[in-house]
Amino acid sequence: MNAQRPTSRGGRRPRIVIAADCLNRLEALAERAIERDPDLADRLLGEIGRARIVPAAKLPSNVVAIGRAVTYRDETTGRETTVTPVFPEEADIACGRISILTPIGVALIGLAEGASLHWDTRDGKRRVLTVLRVVRDEVSEELRA
């Protein structure tokens, strides 16, 4: 199982921010996921628990959120990947839309540009992923509703 621990440059976990309009739905998804993937559900609930919750209109444009494309870099390989976190029913990996109920979806939600997270791969290697860009797309913002 992949595990991740977001960290800032000083070794602490970076702050995360979540829009209030998504909070109830995220909590409900985590509660429903407890039976089939308790580790992932616990991670999502933990991230929600430590998040600063703000009104949707106050969510900074540089923060990863449902419906916002994010580009991150694997610091080991230099590879950049762009994905858009979405609710599970809108997920389509071929289109780059990843479910918030995936390890990378949980890890990225609420992080700001410049934040890094440690990622343990399935083969036991530690990687550092850094959020490079968050793109607020008015069309994808509709996915949050």
Side-chain angles (χ1 to χ4, degrees):
M1 162 149 305
N2 288 351
Q4 67 276 343
R5 282 194 304 273
T7 62
S8 66
R9 285 179 173 74
R12 292 175 303 188
R13 292 166 38 166
R15 294 181 185 172
I16 62 171
V17 183
I18 295 176
D21 64 342
C22 290
L23 183 61
N24 288 340
R25 191 156 178 204
L26 289 172
E27 288 174 332
L29 285 170
E31 292 294 330
R32 285 194 304 267
I34 286 175
E35 290 293 316
R36 63 179 189 279
D37 195 339
D39 291 337
L40 185 65
D42 284 345
R43 281 198 299 265
L44 179 54
L45 288 170
E47 292 298 282
I48 292 168
R50 74 180 194 87
R52 182 169 57 102
I53 308 301
V54 300
K58 300 272 186 188
L59 188 69
S61 61
N62 70 335
V63 169
V64 178
I66 299 295
R68 289 185 178 177
V70 56
T71 300
Y72 63 89
R73 178 178 52 233
D74 180 327
E75 298 296 347
T76 301
T77 65
R79 181 175 176 229
E80 293 184 12
T81 304
T82 300
V83 296
T84 301
V86 296
F87 289 111
E89 62 274 12
E90 286 106 18
D92 183 345
I93 197 67
C95 294
R97 293 191 309 259
I98 61 162
S99 171
I100 188 62
L101 283 180
T102 60
I104 193 70
V106 171
L108 290 171
I109 195 73
L111 291 177
E113 291 175 352
S116 294
L117 60 116
H118 289 285
W119 184 264
D120 295 328
T121 64
R122 291 179 190 198
D123 59 2
K125 294 180 182 171
R126 165 110 347 149
R127 298 281 176 87
V128 175
L129 305 181
T130 301
V131 176
L132 300 177
R133 283 179 299 287
V134 176
V135 178
R136 182 177 177 176
D137 179 351
E138 295 306 319
V139 173
S140 64
E141 287 288 302
E142 293 173 9
L143 294 173
R144 294 166 27 117

